[in-house]
Amino acid sequence: MKSKQTKHLLGIPLVFLMLSMGLQERKSELFVLGDSISEHYGKYLEGYLKEDFSFDRKRDDLGLPKSAGIMRGSNGGDSRSALAYLTERYKEPSFSPDVLLLNCGLHDIKVNPKDGSYQVNSEDYKRNLKAILGLTKDKNVKLVWVRTTAVVDSIHNPPRRKDSFQRHAADVIAYNKIADSLMHDANIPVIDLYTFTKNIGGDSSYIDHVHYNDKVRELQAAYIAGSLRAIYGKKKTD
């Protein structure tokens, strides 16, 4: 039969293991809500941030009817959809990310070729972003805004797409300015993915009317990861 002293000695490593686990720094929880551009760079971003952040993103429409206004799938959609999604998620006590990486704009600026109407006009875009800022203000979350990426008119709106929705470079600039002003006034950090992506890739970086090739997606992820580390003082470890 083992003595009491032996039992105590056997228990010492377990105590130290439990203490070390308790002393380990908890990873910050990052939640991504954005358009298809974020879906594409997301798989790379998760890898770049695995040492610092646990990663999650919008995955579905929460099982709500279409009337709820939330875009299906993992795409965050326009600002109306983003607001509706966050409104519903924040009703869940378990939804409490430390950092919310947010973007919307590309869907807002879609123009109906038949009547020239916007999916979300500039005033409603501003109103929706203000509502999102108000919603997140009282939550224990650090909001980070990502500027909407560029559109090249000649690529997005060739004659063969004349019956499809249009987007225009001037609208990206205008809607980014609206968001820039709101984020500045609210002291929200902004990651300028618009300028970064324009600087690293020309027209050849597009694989269709608005999406980028894998090389650009990975570089976007690296840029965002570095920006998040700079914002929150995270240091990359070897």
Side-chain angles (χ1 to χ4, degrees), residues 23-35:
L23 291 173
Q24 288 180 356
E25 183 180 356
R26 183 184 72 86
K27 288 183 181 181
S28 298
E29 296 178 12
L30 172 70
F31 192 88
V32 178
L33 178 58
D35 55 33

Side-chain angles (χ1 to χ4, degrees), residues 185-199:
D185 290 346
N187 294 314
I188 301 299
V190 174
I191 296 177
D192 189 2
L193 194 63
Y194 172 88
T195 302
F196 174 80
T197 307
K198 287 200 73 172
N199 287 340

Side-chain angles (χ1 to χ4, degrees), residues 34-213:
D35 55 33
S36 57
I37 304 299
S38 74
E39 291 178 291
H40 293 164
Y41 65 62
K43 63 179 181 179
Y44 299 111
L45 182 62
E46 182 175 6
Y48 284 135
L49 293 175
K50 64 183 179 181
E51 297 299 324
D52 301 313
F53 294 89
S54 62
F55 183 95
D56 198 6
R57 68 166 299 122
K58 177 182 181 290
R59 299 184 182 280
D60 52 37
D61 60 2
L62 306 177
L64 296 173
K66 189 176 181 179
S67 59
I70 300 174
M71 189 169 183
R72 292 184 178 182
S74 56
N75 194 317
D78 60 30
S79 59
R80 189 185 300 115
S81 172
L83 174 59
Y85 178 82
L86 288 173
T87 299
E88 291 300 323
R89 286 307 306 268
Y90 273 118
K91 292 177 182 179
E92 305 171 14
S94 60
F95 184 72
S96 57
D98 300 298
V99 180
L100 174 61
L101 188 68
L102 176 65
N103 163 264
C104 46
L106 276 181
H107 287 266
D108 297 79
I109 66 169
K110 286 180 178 178
V111 177
N112 187 322
K114 295 180 179 180
D115 60 14
S117 63
Y118 288 84
Q119 182 159 314
V120 177
N121 65 45
S122 59
E123 286 301 314
D124 286 340
Y125 182 67
K126 183 176 183 179
R127 189 177 299 110
N128 291 336
L129 292 191
K130 280 186 174 181
I132 289 173
L133 288 170
L135 177 65
T136 58
K137 183 178 180 180
D138 297 328
K139 308 297 181 182
N140 189 27
V141 62
K142 297 173 181 176
L143 178 63
V144 179
W145 177 257
V146 180
R147 300 185 84 218
T148 298
T149 50
V151 166
V152 177
D153 288 0
S154 60
I155 295 176
H156 194 289
N157 309 315
R160 61 182 172 79
R161 296 192 75 252
K162 63 182 178 64
D163 295 325
S164 300
F165 64 84
Q166 308 284 292
R167 289 187 178 103
H168 302 284
D171 290 325
V172 174
I173 293 171
Y175 279 54
N176 268 337
K177 284 183 178 180
I178 291 171
D180 289 345
S181 178
L182 291 173
M183 300 307 155
H184 176 269
D185 290 346
N187 294 314
I188 301 299
V190 174
I191 296 177
D192 189 2
L193 194 63
Y194 172 88
T195 302
F196 174 80
T197 307
K198 287 200 73 172
N199 287 340
I200 63 170
D203 292 357
S204 61
S205 62
Y206 290 94
I207 60 170
D208 57 22
H209 59 296
V210 76
H211 302 110
Y212 300 99
N213 60 43

